Amino acid sequence: MYRKLAVIAAITLALGQTAHAGFSLSGLLDAGQDLAKAAVLSDADVKAVAANASSQYDQSHKVAPASSAYAKRLDKLTKGIKMEGGVKPNYKVYMTKDINAFAMADGTIRVYSGLMDAMTDDEVRYVIGHEIGHVSLGHSKKALQTAFAASAARKVGAASGNAAAALSESALGDLAESLVNAQFSQSQERDADQYALNLMKANKYDTKASVTALRKLEKMFGNDKSLFSSHPAPGDRADALEKML
């Protein structure tokens, strides 16, 4: 009960503090409005916050230009892949040797060049499908709500009186970092894998690539650490996908 009230209060203050180009959350709450209404950000709010966080995160990474071989390859292999709920995917490649990829609730999808170097087109498609699964199944929204509330709580601790200010660039960067490294439950991971598999079947991609992608990760990192720090061991996930196939 007390924890819930603390989260509500944190989000309430943050909504009053947040104001960025293209959207404003400050008008959502009046002084006498029921605090319970601030406990969950709306879909529009989630997408707006995610868009600003991803834009800030892009600034700290080298993004492949549209003319690059990586961007052209990603554009080619993602044609036909759609996101649910009218969300338009926004693909970009980060030029880094790191093996990673992530998606955010606004349709942000970022793939690292290191992952593209290590995997075939259908293996990359599986990874993207898995991340889209987190968005379409609502996992990314919940992760953003949690990260946003935590960010707001930190600002509450530093605030004095009724002082309110827009979230700083560093705060947005911290929020984006939290989303990239969001923790998902085992059931969420299984559901995202199933989503990716269904997406691959619907688009007539090679479904076995989902297993080979995870086997590559198992070989690279072992079965005790995944490509994404928040994900279960890749070998265990590969075993589960083989049973699904």
Side-chain angles (χ1 to χ4, degrees):
M1 172 73 173
Y2 294 109
R3 183 177 175 217
K4 180 178 180 181
L5 290 175
V7 171
I8 292 174
I11 296 178
T12 301
L13 179 58
L15 287 171
Q17 291 171 331
T18 305
H20 299 291
F23 78 105
S24 173
L25 301 180
S26 61
L28 291 178
L29 297 176
D30 295 322
Q33 187 175 5
D34 186 357
L35 294 182
K37 294 180 181 179
V40 179
L41 297 175
S42 70
D43 288 345
D45 297 334
V46 166
K47 291 176 183 178
V49 173
N52 280 266
S54 65
S55 178
Q56 179 65 24
Y57 205 64
D58 285 349
Q59 294 179 34
S60 62
H61 291 78
K62 182 179 180 180
V63 178
S67 60
S68 73
Y70 285 100
K72 289 180 178 179
R73 180 188 172 201
L74 185 62
D75 180 64
K76 181 179 179 180
L77 67 86
T78 56
K79 285 189 182 302
I81 296 180
K82 297 180 180 180
M83 300 183 74
E84 297 180 25
V87 178
K88 184 178 180 180
N90 173 15
Y91 296 103
K92 289 183 181 179
V93 178
Y94 284 169
M95 297 303 296
T96 171
K97 293 182 179 180
D98 294 341
I99 309 292
N100 208 348
F102 66 87
M104 293 188 188
D106 67 316
T108 289
I109 298 174
R110 301 293 181 261
V111 183
Y112 292 32
S113 60
L115 182 140
M116 297 183 72
D117 288 336
M119 297 192 174
T120 66
D121 285 355
D122 281 344
E123 288 170 346
V124 175
R125 284 171 173 141
Y126 153 72
V127 172
I128 291 174
H130 179 92
E131 294 306 313
I132 289 177
H134 282 309
V135 174
S136 297
L137 297 171
H139 306 160
S140 296
K141 177 182 177 180
K142 292 179 181 178
L144 186 146
Q145 289 170 332
T146 300
F148 189 66
S151 175
R154 288 195 295 272
K155 290 186 71 66
V156 169
S160 59
N162 293 320
L167 288 172
S168 65
E169 290 185 359
S170 61
L172 275 173
D174 290 342
L175 178 62
E177 193 70 33
S178 297
L179 296 177
V180 172
N181 296 295
Q183 299 292 317
F184 296 111
S185 69
Q186 294 287 330
S187 63
Q188 286 176 327
E189 293 294 355
R190 287 194 298 270
D191 289 346
D193 274 339
Q194 180 67 69
Y195 186 98
L197 198 60
N198 291 340
L199 184 149
M200 295 183 75
K201 289 178 180 178
N203 287 279
K204 298 182 180 180
Y205 302 142
D206 181 8
T207 56
K208 292 181 180 178
S210 61
V211 176
T212 58
L214 289 169
R215 293 301 183 198
K216 284 183 178 179
L217 298 177
E218 181 181 20
K219 186 175 181 179
M220 291 180 203
F221 302 103
N223 200 40
D224 59 342
K225 183 178 180 181
S226 160
L227 143 68
F228 311 101
S229 60
S230 60
H231 289 202
D236 295 341
R237 291 170 62 198
D239 291 341
L241 282 175
E242 283 184 325
K243 293 179 180 178
M244 293 181 191
L245 292 174

